mmCIF file of all heavy atoms in Angstrom:
data_model
loop_
_atom_site.group_PDB
_atom_site.id
_atom_site.type_symbol
_atom_site.label_atom_id
_atom_site.label_comp_id
_atom_site.label_asym_id
_atom_site.label_seq_id
_atom_site.Cartn_x
_atom_site.Cartn_y
_atom_site.Cartn_z
ATOM 1 N N THR A 175 87.078 163.557 101.830
ATOM 2 C CA THR A 175 86.840 165.016 101.746
ATOM 3 C C THR A 175 86.590 165.603 103.073
ATOM 4 O O THR A 175 86.637 166.803 103.251
ATOM 5 C CB THR A 175 85.574 165.306 100.865
ATOM 6 O OG1 THR A 175 84.396 164.612 101.373
ATOM 7 C CG2 THR A 175 85.770 164.881 99.407
ATOM 8 N N LEU A 176 86.534 164.755 104.130
ATOM 9 C CA LEU A 176 86.365 165.250 105.486
ATOM 10 C C LEU A 176 87.674 165.767 105.968
ATOM 11 O O LEU A 176 88.719 165.243 105.678
ATOM 12 C CB LEU A 176 85.851 164.113 106.417
ATOM 13 C CG LEU A 176 84.465 163.521 106.052
ATOM 14 C CD1 LEU A 176 84.110 162.374 106.952
ATOM 15 C CD2 LEU A 176 83.365 164.643 106.049
ATOM 16 N N GLU A 177 87.681 166.772 106.794
ATOM 17 C CA GLU A 177 88.848 167.399 107.328
ATOM 18 C C GLU A 177 89.621 166.493 108.349
ATOM 19 O O GLU A 177 90.840 166.485 108.284
ATOM 20 C CB GLU A 177 88.441 168.745 108.071
ATOM 21 C CG GLU A 177 89.725 169.490 108.512
ATOM 22 C CD GLU A 177 90.686 169.911 107.382
ATOM 23 O OE1 GLU A 177 90.267 170.127 106.231
ATOM 24 O OE2 GLU A 177 91.903 169.995 107.722
ATOM 25 N N ASP A 178 88.865 165.908 109.225
ATOM 26 C CA ASP A 178 89.583 165.073 110.309
ATOM 27 C C ASP A 178 89.737 163.682 109.839
ATOM 28 O O ASP A 178 88.746 162.950 109.368
ATOM 29 C CB ASP A 178 88.688 165.090 111.533
ATOM 30 C CG ASP A 178 88.613 166.461 112.189
ATOM 31 O OD1 ASP A 178 89.685 167.151 112.154
ATOM 32 O OD2 ASP A 178 87.586 166.759 112.772
ATOM 33 N N PRO A 179 90.940 163.087 109.925
ATOM 34 C CA PRO A 179 91.260 161.720 109.605
ATOM 35 C C PRO A 179 90.475 160.788 110.536
ATOM 36 O O PRO A 179 90.111 161.046 111.688
ATOM 37 C CB PRO A 179 92.701 161.512 109.887
ATOM 38 C CG PRO A 179 93.262 162.946 109.933
ATOM 39 C CD PRO A 179 92.212 163.815 110.435
ATOM 40 N N TYR A 180 90.117 159.644 110.000
ATOM 41 C CA TYR A 180 89.438 158.582 110.742
ATOM 42 C C TYR A 180 89.826 157.199 110.156
ATOM 43 O O TYR A 180 90.493 157.168 109.066
ATOM 44 C CB TYR A 180 87.891 158.696 110.679
ATOM 45 C CG TYR A 180 87.334 158.616 109.313
ATOM 46 C CD1 TYR A 180 86.834 157.415 108.834
ATOM 47 C CD2 TYR A 180 87.163 159.766 108.509
ATOM 48 C CE1 TYR A 180 86.278 157.361 107.625
ATOM 49 C CE2 TYR A 180 86.589 159.672 107.260
ATOM 50 C CZ TYR A 180 86.142 158.418 106.797
ATOM 51 O OH TYR A 180 85.561 158.350 105.521
ATOM 52 N N CYS A 181 89.533 156.178 110.877
ATOM 53 C CA CYS A 181 89.909 154.775 110.372
ATOM 54 C C CYS A 181 88.665 153.906 110.366
ATOM 55 O O CYS A 181 87.722 154.079 111.127
ATOM 56 C CB CYS A 181 90.885 154.165 111.424
ATOM 57 S SG CYS A 181 92.355 155.182 111.707
ATOM 58 N N PHE A 182 88.770 152.901 109.556
ATOM 59 C CA PHE A 182 87.795 151.781 109.643
ATOM 60 C C PHE A 182 88.539 150.514 109.412
ATOM 61 O O PHE A 182 89.728 150.532 108.801
ATOM 62 C CB PHE A 182 86.567 151.916 108.763
ATOM 63 C CG PHE A 182 86.835 151.946 107.246
ATOM 64 C CD1 PHE A 182 86.812 150.877 106.498
ATOM 65 C CD2 PHE A 182 87.082 153.240 106.627
ATOM 66 C CE1 PHE A 182 87.015 150.995 105.125
ATOM 67 C CE2 PHE A 182 87.350 153.296 105.279
ATOM 68 C CZ PHE A 182 87.257 152.157 104.484
ATOM 69 N N LEU A 183 87.999 149.359 109.876
ATOM 70 C CA LEU A 183 88.705 148.089 109.864
ATOM 71 C C LEU A 183 87.816 147.109 109.068
ATOM 72 O O LEU A 183 86.562 147.198 109.187
ATOM 73 C CB LEU A 183 88.847 147.602 111.301
ATOM 74 C CG LEU A 183 89.623 148.497 112.172
ATOM 75 C CD1 LEU A 183 89.582 147.976 113.642
ATOM 76 C CD2 LEU A 183 91.098 148.655 111.722
ATOM 77 N N VAL A 184 88.400 146.221 108.330
ATOM 78 C CA VAL A 184 87.703 145.121 107.672
ATOM 79 C C VAL A 184 88.291 143.827 108.184
ATOM 80 O O VAL A 184 89.469 143.529 108.046
ATOM 81 C CB VAL A 184 87.869 145.221 106.134
ATOM 82 C CG1 VAL A 184 87.188 144.075 105.457
ATOM 83 C CG2 VAL A 184 87.310 146.572 105.666
ATOM 84 N N LEU A 185 87.419 143.005 108.745
ATOM 85 C CA LEU A 185 87.860 141.695 109.283
ATOM 86 C C LEU A 185 87.450 140.621 108.288
ATOM 87 O O LEU A 185 86.443 140.697 107.679
ATOM 88 C CB LEU A 185 87.083 141.406 110.612
ATOM 89 C CG LEU A 185 87.309 142.318 111.765
ATOM 90 C CD1 LEU A 185 86.174 142.275 112.771
ATOM 91 C CD2 LEU A 185 88.689 142.054 112.408
ATOM 92 N N SER A 186 88.362 139.694 108.090
ATOM 93 C CA SER A 186 88.054 138.586 107.201
ATOM 94 C C SER A 186 88.842 137.288 107.637
ATOM 95 O O SER A 186 89.670 137.445 108.576
ATOM 96 C CB SER A 186 88.445 138.910 105.756
ATOM 97 O OG SER A 186 89.834 139.185 105.591
ATOM 98 N N GLU A 187 88.564 136.234 107.025
ATOM 99 C CA GLU A 187 89.189 134.996 107.446
ATOM 100 C C GLU A 187 90.539 134.903 106.599
ATOM 101 O O GLU A 187 90.553 135.243 105.454
ATOM 102 C CB GLU A 187 88.244 133.867 107.054
ATOM 103 C CG GLU A 187 88.707 132.495 107.670
ATOM 104 C CD GLU A 187 87.573 131.534 107.721
ATOM 105 O OE1 GLU A 187 86.402 131.841 107.398
ATOM 106 O OE2 GLU A 187 87.812 130.389 108.149
ATOM 107 N N HIS A 188 91.560 134.391 107.288
ATOM 108 C CA HIS A 188 92.881 134.300 106.620
ATOM 109 C C HIS A 188 93.266 132.787 106.692
ATOM 110 O O HIS A 188 93.222 132.143 107.736
ATOM 111 C CB HIS A 188 93.924 135.110 107.314
ATOM 112 C CG HIS A 188 95.298 135.028 106.819
ATOM 113 N ND1 HIS A 188 95.612 135.700 105.617
ATOM 114 C CD2 HIS A 188 96.314 134.274 107.141
ATOM 115 C CE1 HIS A 188 96.836 135.393 105.303
ATOM 116 N NE2 HIS A 188 97.347 134.533 106.164
ATOM 117 N N ARG A 189 93.742 132.361 105.499
ATOM 118 C CA ARG A 189 94.274 130.994 105.399
ATOM 119 C C ARG A 189 95.766 131.101 105.374
ATOM 120 O O ARG A 189 96.310 131.845 104.624
ATOM 121 C CB ARG A 189 93.727 130.404 104.092
ATOM 122 C CG ARG A 189 94.156 128.930 103.869
ATOM 123 C CD ARG A 189 93.695 128.382 102.557
ATOM 124 N NE ARG A 189 94.128 129.201 101.353
ATOM 125 C CZ ARG A 189 95.329 129.111 100.821
ATOM 126 N NH1 ARG A 189 96.258 128.242 101.309
ATOM 127 N NH2 ARG A 189 95.625 129.788 99.762
ATOM 128 N N LEU A 190 96.428 130.299 106.140
ATOM 129 C CA LEU A 190 97.870 130.262 106.157
ATOM 130 C C LEU A 190 98.349 129.802 104.783
ATOM 131 O O LEU A 190 97.870 128.923 104.208
ATOM 132 C CB LEU A 190 98.358 129.248 107.228
ATOM 133 C CG LEU A 190 99.884 129.164 107.420
ATOM 134 C CD1 LEU A 190 100.412 130.512 107.975
ATOM 135 C CD2 LEU A 190 100.138 128.025 108.456
ATOM 136 N N ARG A 191 99.377 130.544 104.209
ATOM 137 C CA ARG A 191 99.889 130.276 102.977
ATOM 138 C C ARG A 191 101.434 129.942 103.092
ATOM 139 O O ARG A 191 102.040 130.260 104.035
ATOM 140 C CB ARG A 191 99.759 131.486 102.066
ATOM 141 C CG ARG A 191 98.304 131.909 101.852
ATOM 142 C CD ARG A 191 98.111 133.083 100.991
ATOM 143 N NE ARG A 191 98.690 134.255 101.535
ATOM 144 C CZ ARG A 191 98.916 135.388 100.826
ATOM 145 N NH1 ARG A 191 98.644 135.442 99.519
ATOM 146 N NH2 ARG A 191 99.384 136.463 101.381
ATOM 147 N N SER A 192 101.955 129.334 102.018
ATOM 148 C CA SER A 192 103.332 128.957 102.047
ATOM 149 C C SER A 192 104.137 130.093 101.332
ATOM 150 O O SER A 192 103.545 130.906 100.571
ATOM 151 C CB SER A 192 103.537 127.659 101.224
ATOM 152 O OG SER A 192 103.276 127.859 99.855
ATOM 153 N N VAL A 193 105.421 130.036 101.473
ATOM 154 C CA VAL A 193 106.376 131.020 100.761
ATOM 155 C C VAL A 193 106.126 130.922 99.262
ATOM 156 O O VAL A 193 105.925 131.922 98.560
ATOM 157 C CB VAL A 193 107.789 130.757 101.107
ATOM 158 C CG1 VAL A 193 108.742 131.604 100.264
ATOM 159 C CG2 VAL A 193 108.035 131.081 102.579
ATOM 160 N N GLY A 194 105.968 129.702 98.741
ATOM 161 C CA GLY A 194 105.787 129.491 97.339
ATOM 162 C C GLY A 194 104.525 130.148 96.810
ATOM 163 O O GLY A 194 104.496 130.722 95.730
#
Side-chain angles (χ1 to χ4, degrees):
T175 56
L176 299 178
E177 184 61 31
D178 293 325
Y180 62 92
C181 305
F182 63 92
L183 304 172
V184 178
L185 298 159
S186 60
E187 194 160 355
H188 179 80
R189 180 184 60 80
L190 184 62
R191 300 182 293 166
S192 70
V193 171

